[in-house]
Amino acid sequence: MTKQNVLPVEVIDALKAGRKVDAIKRLRKLRGIGLTESKQLVDAYIESNSGDLGASVQKAGNGYGQIVLLIVGVFLIFGIYRYLT
């Protein structure tokens, strides 16, 4: 692995926490590179270290799906309550 492909610790920590977008932003800021190059480097790192952190990055989302489900559930429960009373 070349020096260019070695990611800074804070970028790797962000990836381990499942925050891929944050990792890309940090890499851009630290190296002063563009979005495309940063994303390619992060993706290459994830692919080459898939056993260590690939699953956590792929499983992690931005949480919007869970929020939407919660809101729909609340409205559904409220609707059922209003219908039954």
Side-chain angles (χ1 to χ4, degrees):
M1 192 177 268
T2 65
K3 175 125 173 89
Q4 184 69 8
N5 292 337
V6 176
L7 298 180
V9 175
E10 54 263 33
V11 174
I12 295 170
D13 289 344
L15 288 173
K16 286 182 179 179
R19 298 187 322 263
K20 182 178 176 182
V21 174
D22 187 39
I24 293 170
K25 287 179 182 180
R26 288 174 188 240
L27 186 59
R28 286 186 70 196
K29 183 177 180 179
L30 291 169
R31 292 210 179 145
I33 58 177
L35 177 62
T36 303
E37 184 179 1
S38 181
K39 183 180 181 312
Q40 288 171 346
L41 288 170
V42 167
D43 286 341
Y45 185 85
I46 291 170
E47 194 170 314
S48 66
N49 296 289
S50 61
D52 296 335
L53 53 85
S56 65
V57 173
Q58 290 175 355
K59 286 181 185 176
N62 54 13
Y64 292 124
Q66 294 174 348
I67 293 171
V68 169
L69 285 176
L70 177 65
I71 292 171
V72 169
V74 168
F75 278 109
L76 184 62
I77 291 170
F78 180 73
I80 292 171
Y81 175 77
R82 294 286 292 172
Y83 179 75
L84 293 176
T85 57

